[in-house]
Amino acid sequence: MTNPLRDPQDRRLPRIAGPCSLILFGVTGDLSRKKLIPAVYDLANRGLLPPGFGLVGFARHDFSQDEFAQLIKQAAKDGARTPWRETLWNQLAAGIRFVPGEFDDDAAWKRLADTMRELDEQQGTNGNHAFYLSIPPALFPVVVSQLREHGLATSDDGWRRVVIEKPFGHDLASAQDLNRVVAEVFPRESVFRIDHYLGKETVQNVLAFRFANGMFEPIWNGNYVDHVQITMAEDIGIGTRAGYYDSIGAARDVIQNHLLQLMALIAMEEPVSFKASSLRIEKQKILANARPTPRLDFHTAHAQYVAGWAGGEKVAGYLEEEGIPRGSTTETYAAMRIDIATRRWAGVPFYLRAGKRLGRRVTEVAVVFKPAPHQPFAKHDVEELGENALVMRIQPDEGVTLRFGAKVPGTTMEIRDVLMDFAYGGAFVESSPEAYERLILDVLLGDPPLFPQHEEVELAWEILDPVIEHWARQENIDTYTAGTWGPASADEMIARDGRTWRRP
Ligand code: BG6
C-alpha cells in the first residue's frame, strides 16, 4: 500500500524499489559479472532494494544452485563499490536462483516460469519481473518471442519489463527490425534500452548546467560558439572482447550511442519537463537535423592501433590481439564532423572522436567559443591567449573547467590562458552511484527518462550509416601507435577546418 503522506514526486526521498525480481540472460558474461551483479549488491547495500527481491540467472551452463550462488557472490565481492557485508549477502542470496538451458529449449523456459512463480510465493516478488538481455543482439528475437510464448511477457498481477543492452542493431535497417520484434511483445513503457552514459552523474549534469543556470544559455549558440569537441578516449585495448569488438568497431560501439546522446544533450532545446517523452522530443529534433558533412573523405577519420605503449608497458597492436582475424579492417579509432541544421547550431561543427589505446582515459565535451569581436590589445600581448572554452569533464576527474584569458601579473598587458575549475570531489561530499546502479534502480522503479527510445536509436543510425558505408568502401585502414592520440588523418581532418583537437 502506498503511504498517502509521502509525495511520490518528492525527489528528496530515497527511491526504493518495490518487490520484484531481475532475470539476467547472459549472466556469465563480462557485463553481468563486472557491472550488473556488483550494482545489484551495491543497491541492496544502500538499502534501495526491497526485502522481497529475486535475482535469476539463465544460461547454458550446468551449474548447481550453490555453484551459481558462489559465482554471483564472487562477482559481487570483486566489483562492489560499497563495503562487503556478509549478513546482507545472506539476505540477497535467499532470492538467487539459477535456470540452466538453451534459449530454444522449451523445457528450460518452463523451468524459468516455475522459478518465477516460486519466487513470487517464497520471496513475495508479486509478479513483478524485469528481464535483462545482456546477450548478443542476434539472440534478442528468440528470447523475446520465448518470453511471449511462455506467457512471461505480460501478467495480470504485476509488471513485466525488458532491458536491452546495446548494440541496438548494426545499422538502421537491423535496428528497425529489432525494434519491431521487441514492440510486438512489449509496449513502449516496458522497454528499457541501456545507454550507460546516461546513467552517469556528469552526463545528467549537462541538463542541470544548461537549464538551471541563467548565464550559459544566452551564449550557447552559433553567435558565440565556434565549435564543439566531444572526446571519448580510452587507454585500454579490447581486452577479452575480440569477438564482439571486431564485428562492430569504435563508431558503432560508442559513437552511435554514448557520443551522439551526449551531443543531443549539449545541443537540444530546453525540454518542457524532464519526463521521458519531453526529453525524447528535444533529443529527437537534434538527431533528426544532425548529419555528417557530405565530404566524408574530408571530415571523417578511422584507424587501428598498432603496437606501442600503455601505462609504461609495451602493448600489442590490434591485429596481434587474441581472437582478431588477420587483415581485419575494423576501426579502433573513429572521428567525424557532424553539422546540426538548426537556427541555434547552423555553422557550428560538432567534432566527435573515440578510440581505444589512446594517451589516457578521458571523456569530455569542450564547447569552444569564438574570439572577442575586437581586441584592443597589441598583437604580442595576446600571443599566448587561446580560445575561450568550457570543458565538461565527464570522467575521470569529474567537473567543469572554464578557460579564459587573464593578465599576467607584472606585465603591462600580457594575457595568458587561465582555468576556473569546479571539481565534484571538492564541491560535494555525496559519492556518485555507478551508472548501472542508477539505471537498474530506474528499471525496477519503472522510471524511463534515462533510457533512449527507439526513435533516438534509429536516428543515430541514420547519422552513422553513411560514414560506416563510406569506410567500408575503402580497402585499407589507417593506423596509430598505441598510447598516442590517434592517427595523423584525424589531425588533418580537423586542420582542414583551421582547427586542432584539444589535448585532454
Ligand atoms: C561500452 C563500450 O559501452 O563503454 C566499451 O562497449 C567501452 O567498449 C565502455 O570500454 C566504456 O565505458 P566507461 O563507462 O568506462 O566510459
Side-chain angles (χ1 to χ4, degrees):
M1 220 204 311
T2 53
N3 180 348
L5 300 180
R6 272 174 78 126
D7 173 3
Q9 300 304 322
D10 187 344
R11 309 298 273 182
R12 288 165 307 179
L13 294 174
R15 304 179 320 137
I16 301 173
C20 61
S21 69
L22 185 66
I23 294 112
L24 277 177
F25 296 97
V27 67
T28 51
D30 235 34
L31 184 76
S32 292
R33 281 186 293 113
K34 292 193 179 144
K35 298 281 185 187
L36 308 182
I37 294 164
V40 167
Y41 173 80
D42 287 330
L43 283 172
N45 215 355
R46 293 183 205 272
L48 303 178
L49 292 187
F53 179 75
L55 180 67
V56 182
F58 185 113
R60 264 190 303 229
H61 292 262
D62 216 4
F63 301 124
S64 68
Q65 295 295 336
D66 279 352
E67 281 167 342
F68 181 69
Q70 216 33 51
L71 188 100
I72 299 286
K73 182 174 182 180
Q74 199 54 49
K77 260 189 161 169
D78 291 346
R81 288 155 41 107
T82 56
W84 185 254
R85 292 200 289 137
E86 198 70 22
T87 44
L88 174 87
W89 175 257
N90 291 338
Q91 282 166 23
L92 256 183
I96 294 182
R97 304 283 184 278
F98 178 63
V99 177
E102 303 278 344
F103 293 144
D104 57 1
D105 172 10
D106 285 338
W109 287 91
K110 216 180 137 303
R111 283 198 292 276
L112 177 63
D114 292 343
T115 303
M116 287 165 54
R117 235 184 330 270
E118 182 256 320
L119 272 177
D120 285 341
E121 283 161 20
Q122 302 287 317
Q123 289 288 107
T125 46
N126 286 359
N128 299 325
H129 301 283
F131 303 101
Y132 199 122
L133 275 51
S134 177
I135 51 177
L139 297 172
F140 289 175
V142 52
V143 171
V144 170
S145 64
Q146 289 283 38
L147 286 170
R148 179 175 52 194
E149 292 311 307
H150 293 271
L152 300 176
T154 50
S155 154
D156 294 335
D157 328 322
W159 50 255
R160 299 294 155 99
R161 297 179 186 137
V162 67
V163 187
I164 310 181
E165 266 292 341
K166 72 174 186 55
F168 312 119
H170 59 269
D171 57 13
L172 176 60
S174 57
Q176 285 169 332
D177 286 347
L178 192 65
N179 284 330
R180 213 170 299 122
V181 168
V182 175
E184 276 167 15
V185 179
F186 289 96
R188 179 195 278 274
E189 64 278 9
S190 304
V191 182
F192 291 76
R193 292 176 187 77
I194 299 267
D195 183 321
H196 80 282
Y197 263 61
L198 298 182
K200 291 183 191 275
E201 287 290 336
T202 43
V203 174
Q204 293 160 42
N205 185 48
V206 172
L207 297 181
F209 182 90
R210 291 190 54 202
F211 301 124
N213 300 304
M215 61 190 165
F216 304 113
E217 217 45 28
I219 55 167
W220 212 252
N221 57 55
N223 295 334
Y224 297 93
V225 176
D226 179 73
H227 71 281
V228 178
Q229 294 189 17
I230 305 183
T231 301
M232 178 178 173
E234 293 184 276
D235 51 357
I236 53 170
I238 51 154
T240 51
R241 299 160 79 219
Y244 161 81
Y245 199 87
D246 196 60
S247 66
I248 199 159
R252 288 185 173 108
D253 186 35
V254 297
I255 294 188
Q256 191 274 341
N257 35 72
H258 310 327
L259 296 203
L260 286 176
Q261 281 287 332
L262 256 177
M263 185 190 84
L265 294 176
I266 292 290
M268 73 186 210
E269 297 301 316
E270 182 179 292
V272 171
S273 72
F274 291 107
K275 281 195 185 138
S277 52
S278 311
L279 287 170
R280 167 170 60 87
I281 287 169
E282 297 308 334
K283 283 197 272 173
Q284 225 176 305
K285 281 193 228 160
I286 291 300
L287 295 171
N289 284 308
R291 286 289 167 266
T293 50
R295 288 298 306 268
L296 294 173
D297 48 344
F298 265 45
H299 285 129
T300 70
H302 71 308
Q304 225 172 46
Y305 61 81
V306 292
W309 296 85
E313 281 181 19
K314 209 157 179 17
V315 292
Y318 181 70
L319 293 179
E320 290 109 54
E321 301 272 18
E322 207 182 315
I324 298 299
R326 272 161 179 257
S328 161
T329 54
T330 299
E331 85 282 359
T332 59
Y333 177 100
M336 62 195 68
R337 169 178 156 173
I338 306 278
D339 293 335
I340 303 176
T342 62
R343 175 172 282 238
R344 192 194 274 261
W345 295 116
V348 182
F350 282 67
Y351 298 100
L352 275 45
R353 62 175 163 162
K356 300 271 186 203
R357 285 275 187 243
L358 295 180
R360 71 184 182 91
R361 174 175 181 251
V362 56
T363 299
E364 63 163 45
V365 178
V367 179
V368 181
F369 293 94
K370 292 182 172 167
H374 169 71
Q375 288 187 335
F377 305 101
K379 204 162 168 239
H380 59 264
D381 287 340
V382 285
E383 245 162 24
E384 290 194 48
L385 173 64
E387 293 152 314
N388 294 166
L390 190 132
V391 181
M392 296 184 164
R393 299 193 306 273
I394 305 296
Q395 67 185 31
D397 194 17
E398 292 80 359
V400 181
T401 299
L402 191 62
R403 188 177 71 182
F404 55 97
K407 178 176 175 294
V408 180
T411 61
T412 325
M413 190 44 96
E414 191 187 317
I415 296 176
R416 197 183 294 161
D417 286 336
V418 292
L419 301 178
M420 201 155 81
D421 201 36
F422 147 63
Y424 273 76
F428 296 115
V429 288
E430 296 85 349
S431 69
S432 296
E434 223 275 329
Y436 275 100
E437 276 181 59
R438 169 69 197 260
L439 295 177
I440 291 175
L441 184 61
D442 281 2
V443 168
L444 303 180
L445 288 164
D447 201 10
L450 299 183
F451 299 86
Q453 314 231 334
H454 73 87
E455 293 90 342
E456 293 156 62
V457 169
E458 290 175 16
L459 286 168
W461 281 120
E462 269 184 54
I463 297 171
L464 211 56
D465 273 2
V467 178
I468 291 176
E469 282 161 20
H470 168 72
W471 290 345
R473 284 192 291 273
Q474 295 171 17
E475 271 169 29
N476 299 317
I477 182 157
D478 201 359
T479 56
Y480 59 102
T481 305
T484 65
W485 280 98
S489 54
D491 295 337
E492 287 154 18
M493 166 198 136
I494 197 164
R496 289 193 183 101
D497 292 348
R499 300 185 175 102
T500 50
W501 291 110
R502 273 175 48 81
R503 177 58 51 88

